[in-house]
């Protein structure tokens, strides 16, 4: 359990549904927010009780919402910087495309609308996969420098392997956080 290893840790409670915007969402029972920061296991239990079995309504679910049948609890970290990283199938490119931005941790659709120049788009040849050069270029464009560049590139390649290995249509990390 997180608190045994780190008694001062914040506990991050996240409703698990297939839609974005959970933090800004609301449940059909009146509870607000599908992402909660908790200080104690008891608080996690109390808030998860309000999430489980209720429908979470977000911008992406529509007014009917989605049933929350699972929650995730993890240790909070100190975040220095948030980026956005996704791999998705794109019809226009006829295969996988990496979509990334230095402006993570927020509604990526809003970033694309307001500052389209902040969006990085990189097609990946499905027959070859993500190359070392592409991974290194993404790390550089996302401003992972120095000792962070190689681990970031390795993470991007691992996420592509996950995408390809599970026959996924999308893998998204938001935020892809750089901790302190």
């Amino acid at each position: 359990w997180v608190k045994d290893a780190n008694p001062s840790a914040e506990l991050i409670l996240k409703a698990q549904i297939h839609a974005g915007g959970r933090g800004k969402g609301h449940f059909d029972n009146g509870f607000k927010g599908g992402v909660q920061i908790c200080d104690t296991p008891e608080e996690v239990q109390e808030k998860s009780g309000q999430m489980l079995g209720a429908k979470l309504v977000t911008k992406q679910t529509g007014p009917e919402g989605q049933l929350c049948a699972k929650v995730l609890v993890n240790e909070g970290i100190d975040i220095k910087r948030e980026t956005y990283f996704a791999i998705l199938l794109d019809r226009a490119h006829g295969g996988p495309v990496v979509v990334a931005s230095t402006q993570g941790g927020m509604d990526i659709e809003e970033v694309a609308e307001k500052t389209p120049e902040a969006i990085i788009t990189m097609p990946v040849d499905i027959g070859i996969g993500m190359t070392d050069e592409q991974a290194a270029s993404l790390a550089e464009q996302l401003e992972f420098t120095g000792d962070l560049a190689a681990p970031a590139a390795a993470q991007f390649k691992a996420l592509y392997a996950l995408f390809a290995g599970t026959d996924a249509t999308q893998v998204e990390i938001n935020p892809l956080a750089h901790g302190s």
Side-chain angles (χ1 to χ4, degrees):
W1 179 246
V2 172
K3 287 290 195 175
D4 292 338
N6 183 359
S8 64
E10 291 180 322
L11 303 171
I12 311 302
L13 173 65
K14 297 181 179 184
Q16 299 297 286
I17 64 166
H18 291 284
R22 293 172 295 171
K24 295 179 182 178
H26 66 276
F27 289 87
D28 61 356
N29 61 9
F31 188 64
K32 304 254 187 247
V35 178
Q36 299 285 323
I37 299 172
C38 304
D39 293 317
T40 66
E42 294 77 20
E43 187 179 0
V44 169
Q45 183 175 13
E46 185 266 322
K47 289 183 176 182
S48 64
Q50 295 182 64
M51 293 178 172
L52 293 166
K55 288 187 177 180
L56 179 55
V57 179
T58 74
K59 282 174 62 174
Q60 292 185 10
T61 66
E64 68 280 0
Q66 287 186 15
L67 180 66
C68 178
K70 295 180 182 179
V71 294
L72 170 71
V73 180
N74 63 288
E75 180 178 357
I77 62 168
D78 290 328
I79 297 174
K80 278 186 172 177
R81 192 168 65 88
E82 297 179 342
T83 60
Y84 175 86
F85 180 88
I87 306 164
L88 50 103
L89 284 180
D90 182 63
R91 290 177 198 230
H93 289 92
V97 173
V98 172
V99 178
S101 178
T102 56
Q103 297 181 33
M106 58 186 80
D107 183 356
I108 196 65
E109 291 85 1
E110 185 177 322
V111 173
E113 184 180 316
K114 292 183 178 178
T115 53
E117 67 279 3
I119 303 294
I120 300 159
T121 304
M122 179 182 290
V124 177
D125 184 321
I126 200 163
I128 297 170
M130 183 178 291
T131 65
D132 291 341
E133 293 77 17
Q134 285 178 306
S137 174
L138 282 166
E140 182 179 331
Q141 291 178 75
L142 290 174
E143 301 171 5
F144 289 100
T145 59
D147 291 344
L148 297 175
Q155 187 70 57
F156 301 147
K157 289 194 72 166
L159 288 166
Y160 184 82
L162 171 74
F163 174 84
T166 60
D167 205 22
T169 56
Q170 179 173 328
V171 170
E172 178 182 55
I173 309 294
N174 189 25
L176 176 63
H178 168 206
S180 55

